[in-house]
Amino acid sequence: MQHDALQKLEEQLGVRPPEGLAALNESEVRALAEVIREALDQQSAALTTAIEGALARLPRPLRGPIRGILR
Amino acid sequence: MNNDPQVRAEVLKLARLLGRNADELAYLHRLRADDIRRLREQATDVLFEAERRRMQRLALASRLLTPALVAMVAQRAFGPLLAARVAGYLDTSRAAEVARRLPVSFRADMAVEMDPRRVIGLVSQLPAEGIVGVARELRRRDEFVTMGRFAGHLADDALRAVLADLDDEALLRVAFVIEDRDRLDHIFGLVPVARLASLMRTAMDARLWSEALDLLGCLGEPLRAELLNAAADQGDDLLSSMVGAVCDHNLWGVLLPAARAMREESRARLAERLAAMLPQLTATQREGLALEVQSAGFAAGWAIPGAGHGGLDP
């Protein structure tokens, strides 16, 4: 049901989506929610990789204190 | 696909935010531009908030590093997307220190990924020449959408510097996709009056009448009048070209109300161009034009032949 799909999108966004999205069908709303979820997952993975990469580039004496802050 | 350029611009911005091709979000072209923009703002908030804790800790950790080291890490480990997200959590003056150490190309890459709402403080601390450098790089890449997102957040001194540096075509294209359309009157108020003539000439030469006429519709009456007077001052070829574009895109509702504020002699020349164009219009188009002329308040003078009135006379 489109209503359920919009509900899911609202949960994803944390706020009610714009009213105009009612013009989309159920599969489109689901696709949109999925795209947002994937963007969140990719961001999380990219951030983890970037933090490890950053630590590897820092002078050794700084790595411990920085890891401590990031924990 | 929706041909509304505002919708296309909003779909492109949302696709970029979500790391997708605009084609994958083609179904969004059925929506209004405002709805897509609001959705993008909501998605941006979700993406920023999702990693709030880690990004705040990164910002905290960066205090142990020199700005030069932070700049190196940003480029080599984080890349522009993550660097843009973390920048929103950095102390403003520190972020500015780091930004100064980043090459222009990387700053431009970051600008493409940034949410201007989250870095207003940072942008206000950057020297105007630094902003001009990034704007120049964005212009080189035809990144009008990105420039349009930031234009509403720049202080006047930075705006003046960017406006002076930007070519007319870019100015018209950025104005067309600017995020904060309410700011257009203020922004173009900073453009020297003498430049308005070259803007209109560029609209003709670069076939950007849609953009120029859309801009006209967003300006207050004084600036609208200045633009139209500037067009009229440049001769019949330009005026004819403009009137032709108005007819093609059915933008009489934009042109005619603005024409009320023109100098009398300029309005007279516009009327001459309209009269010269009339034989090319269909009866339906002439009727439509007559209605627009009436509703623009020219009923007493601007009669349209072939639509039950006399000749055209301002």
Side-chain angles (χ1 to χ4, degrees), chain A residues 1-18 21 29-30 32-34 36-37 40, chain B residues 39 42-43 45-47 49-50:
Chain A
M1 299 285 285
Q2 197 232 32
H3 173 77
D4 292 342
L6 280 169
Q7 191 84 14
K8 200 151 187 77
L9 182 61
E10 181 171 338
E11 285 166 16
Q12 188 81 273
L13 293 171
V15 291
R16 177 173 279 180
L21 263 64
V29 175
R30 288 195 189 285
L32 191 52
E34 183 61 20
I36 293 171
R37 189 192 64 75
L40 283 163
Chain B
L39 178 63
Q42 290 173 343
D45 290 344
V46 163
L47 283 164
E49 291 304 312

Side-chain angles (χ1 to χ4, degrees), chain B residues 17-312:
Chain B
L17 174 72
L18 299 175
R20 298 294 177 120
N21 289 324
D23 290 345
E24 296 179 64
L25 302 179
Y27 50 87
L28 294 180
H29 280 91
R30 297 208 306 279
L31 305 183
R32 294 179 323 130
D34 283 348
D35 284 330
I36 306 170
R37 176 181 170 171
R38 185 72 198 112
L39 178 63
R40 173 169 54 86
E41 288 171 354
Q42 290 173 343
T44 301
D45 290 344
V46 163
L47 283 164
F48 269 82
E49 291 304 312
E51 296 292 345
R52 170 178 280 275
R53 186 184 172 280
R54 283 208 284 179
M55 299 229 186
Q56 281 175 331
R57 289 192 172 266
L58 273 168
L60 197 60
S62 73
R63 291 185 196 174
L64 295 184
L65 309 177
T66 63
L69 206 42
V70 174
M72 181 275 289
V73 162
Q75 291 173 83
R76 302 225 184 125
F78 276 70
L81 171 63
L82 288 177
R85 302 259 162 98
V86 175
Y89 289 91
L90 287 178
D91 168 72
T92 301
S93 51
R94 183 141 173 95
E97 279 295 312
V98 173
R100 283 186 198 107
R101 287 162 172 77
L102 292 169
V104 167
S105 60
F106 192 82
R107 281 190 263 164
D109 292 338
M110 283 178 68
V112 172
E113 307 293 349
M114 260 171 179
D115 178 1
R117 299 174 300 164
R118 295 182 180 260
V119 291
I120 292 173
L122 165 61
V123 171
S124 70
Q125 291 223 4
L126 295 175
E129 63 184 79
I131 294 174
V132 169
V134 174
R136 206 176 275 167
E137 175 61 18
L138 290 172
R139 169 41 175 138
R140 195 187 64 77
R141 303 179 192 185
D142 288 348
E143 276 287 349
F144 306 117
V145 166
T146 300
M147 294 167 80
R149 286 193 298 115
F150 277 89
H153 299 279
L154 296 180
D156 284 1
D157 62 335
L159 266 175
R160 279 195 188 89
V162 171
L163 288 168
D165 193 71
L166 213 53
D167 58 284
D168 289 344
E169 180 179 334
L171 192 49
L172 287 170
R173 290 188 186 279
V174 171
F176 196 52
V177 294
I178 198 168
E179 191 106 317
D180 197 347
R181 289 165 75 75
D182 291 341
R183 285 268 286 169
L184 278 170
D185 190 66
H186 176 81
I187 290 170
F188 277 81
L190 301 175
V191 172
V193 171
R195 190 173 173 186
L196 298 181
S198 85
L199 269 177
M200 299 306 269
R201 175 64 52 178
T202 299
M204 181 177 77
D205 294 342
R207 298 158 84 108
L208 293 175
W209 279 123
S210 290
E211 286 78 356
L213 292 167
D214 181 73
L215 171 63
L216 197 67
C218 293
L219 299 177
E221 199 165 281
L223 267 177
R224 283 194 204 182
E226 295 278 11
L227 260 180
L228 288 176
N229 288 333
D233 287 347
Q234 293 192 70
D236 288 347
D237 65 334
L238 192 145
L239 215 44
S240 294
S241 176
M242 183 180 76
V243 167
V246 168
C247 184
D248 289 344
H249 298 284
N250 195 21
L251 290 171
W252 299 113
V254 171
L255 175 67
L256 295 176
R260 274 206 307 261
M262 290 172 81
R263 286 194 303 266
E264 218 173 291
E265 64 270 24
S266 299
R267 201 165 59 243
R269 291 166 74 179
L270 175 63
E272 280 170 25
R273 293 298 97 214
L274 274 172
M277 187 201 63
L278 286 175
Q280 300 160 39
L281 298 183
T282 64
T284 309
Q285 285 175 320
R286 276 202 291 274
E287 287 281 355
L289 174 55
L291 285 169
E292 293 280 4
V293 168
Q294 275 190 342
S295 80
F298 287 113
W302 285 41
I304 310 292
H309 302 278
L312 190 67

